[in-house]
Amino acid sequence: MQTVISRELGEWAVAHRRYLHQHPELSGQEYQTHTYIKQHLEALGIAILDYQAPSVVGFLKGTDGSKTIALRADIDALPVQEEGEKSYLSKVPGVAHACGHDGHTAVLLAAAKWLSEHQGQVKPNVVFIFQSSEEREPSGAEALIKQGVLSNVDAVFGIHLWQPLAKGLIGVCHGPMMGACDEFKITITGKGGHGAMPHETVDPVYIASQVVGGLQSIVSRALNPMQSAVVTVGKVEEGSTFNIIPNEAVMLGTARSLTEETRQCVHKQMQRIVAGIPASFGAAGHMEYYWGTPAVVNDRQQSRYVEEVVKAVFGESVYAADMEPTMAAEDFAFYLSHCPGAFIFVGMGGEASAYSHHHPRFDIDEAVIPSAIELFVQLVLRFE
Ligand code: NI
């Protein structure tokens, strides 16, 4: 192991994490968190760049400065009532850091502390992105990128403390890592009437069931079997009682995919099905498709760099060589569609982190915090 950070820095981060955990704020409303981060960065002598609050962007000048590396943490919490026994439970009813973004914030603060205290060893410039609103639209990442946060950045890295990956492992995918997340609303308009006289009606309930079946053929029939996607209809609304055929059926759902090509293929086939199946029964199908977060696709050169750093710093066995992508979404995708970089999972699954992200009893395993700080620091120190 060639680690540089001290045990004290890890403890420093844990203390900040617990404070943030007790004071969670919802997406777009992280103003106290904003002030907290800003004050600590200023105390470290890190310049605060002019970006719209509640995001905070810090800047540290490197000794060489010909390259610039950006490190990102998300800072928002979720509308979840936290459950459990720990001493530092959320003090805000109905709001909790149930995804671990308190940990991300503390990790990046600690990395900023180490790097600012060892500025003489830091060659590239470093941009510290504390990003608001990861969990909800509008995306804080998209807003920062529009304001120019990635101009002059050569590579961007983000870490998620990740419960599905076992503690002790750190993983990165070479290429697609997390899914694009789109939403859709499909309306089928038929002709209502008496449940005993279907021949006088155009039954949107029956047609909707055909459309649901049709949508499930996309992954099996339209898509290359080597590609991955999910189409889920999560809500169907139709009719009022047992003997009336309604006029209309409405369906809500989500489509997930790992590449832009797959995403476009799924969308195109959905349009055909939504138009074609209802038309064959004399009904009208209409789809509103909402393009959400794109897929997180790591730059292969940068993900190889992460792999190298993980193996060199923590040892070969820490690198999760066979980690698979997930269909969960992350707005870190926006950074990667503008700049080379990589998103990294630091595994923490085990006894101390046994509940999934977003669960009321979710907790991060604080024992992995030092590794996450070390990784951010080393990605900067070894960057060329
Ligand atoms: Ni998250």
Side-chain angles (χ1 to χ4, degrees):
M1 292 247 284
Q2 301 181 14
T3 55
V4 295
I5 72 154
S6 65
R7 198 164 56 89
E8 289 71 29
L9 186 63
E11 288 164 359
W12 185 88
V14 167
H16 284 292
R17 182 260 157 165
R18 291 188 177 192
Y19 178 86
L20 292 163
H21 193 85
Q22 287 184 300
H23 302 89
E25 293 174 293
L26 291 173
S27 310
Q29 301 169 26
E30 312 94 325
Y31 287 99
Q32 285 177 39
T33 309
H34 167 92
T35 306
Y36 187 84
I37 295 164
K38 202 174 137 190
Q39 282 171 353
H40 282 93
L41 292 180
E42 280 170 346
L44 296 169
I46 290 173
I48 305 295
L49 302 183
D50 191 18
Y51 286 90
Q52 201 184 341
S55 290
V56 187
V57 182
F59 181 81
L60 185 72
K61 195 155 174 41
T63 53
D64 173 56
S66 59
K67 292 275 172 70
T68 299
I69 182 169
L71 306 176
R72 175 270 206 170
D74 40 11
I75 66 173
D76 53 337
L78 284 159
V80 168
Q81 178 61 46
E82 189 171 32
E83 295 171 12
E85 290 76 38
K86 59 186 176 240
S87 59
Y88 49 91
L89 280 176
S90 168
K91 290 184 172 176
V92 185
V95 183
H97 270 294
C99 197
H101 300 182
D102 50 341
H104 304 164
T105 307
V107 163
L108 189 55
L109 273 177
K113 181 170 160 64
W114 193 96
L115 291 164
S116 64
E117 287 169 354
H118 299 79
Q119 204 170 354
Q121 297 175 42
V122 180
K123 276 200 252 167
N125 300 322
V126 188
V127 177
F128 301 98
I129 303 174
F130 293 88
Q131 180 213 307
S132 148
S133 198
E134 189 283 319
E135 298 284 1
R136 272 194 59 185
E137 300 280 335
S139 152
E142 231 183 342
L144 284 171
I145 294 162
K146 274 191 197 135
Q147 293 165 57
V149 81
L150 292 177
S151 50
N152 306 319
V153 170
D154 295 284
V156 58
F157 297 98
I159 289 177
H160 211 300
L161 303 173
W162 201 241
Q163 194 274 336
L165 183 65
K167 180 181 180 177
L169 293 176
I170 297 177
V172 66
C173 294
H174 303 299
M177 175 137 154
M178 299 180 79
C181 175
D182 300 330
E183 288 171 40
F184 58 83
K185 178 182 178 187
I186 296 169
T187 307
I188 292 154
T189 310
K191 187 179 153 213
H194 200 294
M197 300 169 211
H199 59 293
E200 300 287 345
T201 74
V202 176
D203 181 0
V205 176
Y206 175 71
I207 298 164
S209 69
Q210 298 285 306
V211 169
V212 172
L215 294 175
Q216 293 314 319
S217 74
I218 296 174
V219 172
S220 70
R221 301 292 87 180
L223 214 59
N224 177 336
M226 299 302 144
Q227 303 289 327
S228 307
V230 180
V231 181
T232 290
V233 175
K235 185 177 178 182
V236 182
E237 237 175 30
E238 47 194 18
S240 56
T241 190
F242 76 101
N243 61 353
I244 299 175
I245 292 170
N247 277 317
E248 197 179 81
V250 178
M251 297 181 268
L252 300 179
T254 183
R256 310 275 172 126
S257 50
L258 284 175
T259 66
E260 199 51 36
E261 197 190 344
T262 308
R263 194 185 193 192
Q264 296 297 336
C265 170
V266 168
H267 175 250
K268 196 170 150 201
Q269 191 63 9
M270 286 184 75
Q271 282 182 313
R272 288 186 180 139
I273 288 167
V274 170
I277 292 180
S280 71
F281 292 97
H286 175 73
M287 176 167 74
E288 287 166 53
Y289 196 88
Y290 175 69
W291 298 90
T293 314
V296 172
V297 183
N298 286 335
D299 175 85
R300 284 167 203 271
Q301 195 186 329
Q302 298 305 332
S303 61
R304 293 283 173 208
Y305 171 61
V306 172
E307 178 181 348
E308 259 171 50
V309 172
V310 169
K311 287 178 173 173
V313 175
F314 303 103
E316 297 265 339
S317 61
V318 169
Y319 181 69
D322 51 4
M323 191 180 79
E324 289 183 336
T326 163
M327 282 296 178
E330 237 290 344
D331 79 348
F332 193 78
F334 288 111
Y335 298 102
L336 294 176
S337 54
H338 287 83
C339 179
F343 198 55
I344 307 153
F345 287 157
V346 171
M348 61 178 177
E351 217 174 302
S353 184
Y355 293 92
S356 72
H357 293 269
H358 298 198
H359 189 281
R361 285 180 179 266
F362 167 83
D363 200 4
I364 64 179
D365 185 341
E366 292 175 336
V368 308
I369 282 180
S371 301
I373 303 168
E374 185 76 42
L375 182 56
F376 264 158
V377 167
Q378 296 276 357
L379 285 170
V380 173
L381 293 180
R382 293 165 186 255
F383 194 73
E384 295 199 329

